[in-house]
Amino acid sequence: MFTHVMIGSNDLERARSFYDATFVALGGKPGEMDARGRLIYLHEGSRLMITKPIDGNPATAANGGTIGIAAASRDHVLAWHAAGTTHGGKAIESPPSERANGAFVAYLRDPDGNKLTARSQPTK
């Protein structure tokens, strides 16, 4: 359904530190900067792109928006959460935990305030 998710950042190097660490923790690769100055993360056919806003205004986080990232296992979710908090992210909501359906879930805000979740597949 989606070709990509694009989010804004006011500091691409700070964003790169955070996203490189969190995607490597999930088994992905560090991002690459394209010719237009956007960070691009490719993983299993999906793309996350991070850019300074084209209109020149500051980037702001979506109120009520969440970007969900697939994780292969509970251990990947924990590694993602640890990498994120070490690289400028903030732990939010509940601590990493198992849901009633068996999915293991964690939440972070990236350094620009975007809300993210990493979750393993449900087991029930």
Side-chain angles (χ1 to χ4, degrees), residues 37-61:
R38 302 174 299 190
L39 279 170
I40 300 176
Y41 293 86
L42 302 170
H43 187 67
E44 296 181 7
S46 297
R47 279 190 299 178
L48 174 67
M49 301 169 69
I50 303 161
T51 187
K52 288 193 171 197
I54 294 169
D55 66 6
N57 290 317
T60 58

Side-chain angles (χ1 to χ4, degrees), residues 80-81 90-93 99 105-108 115-117 119:
W80 174 86
H81 193 263
K90 292 181 187 168
I92 58 169
E93 298 187 17
R99 295 290 169 93
V105 180
Y107 288 91
L108 291 171
K115 183 178 173 185
L116 310 168
T117 181
R119 59 185 56 225

Side-chain angles (χ1 to χ4, degrees), residues 8-17 39 50-52 59 111-112:
S9 175
N10 294 306
D11 184 337
L12 289 175
E13 285 308 311
R14 181 181 68 181
R16 178 178 236 161
S17 174
L39 279 170
I50 303 161
T51 187
K52 288 193 171 197
D112 287 289

Side-chain angles (χ1 to χ4, degrees), residues 2 4 9 14 16 19 22-24 33-34 51 54 57 60 75 82 84-86 88 90 100 104 120-121:
F2 302 108
H4 65 279
S9 175
R14 181 181 68 181
R16 178 178 236 161
Y19 283 101
T22 59
F23 280 110
V24 167
M33 193 75 70
D34 74 2
T51 187
I54 294 169
N57 290 317
T60 58
D75 289 341
T85 56
T86 300
K90 292 181 187 168
F104 197 79
S120 66
Q121 290 297 314

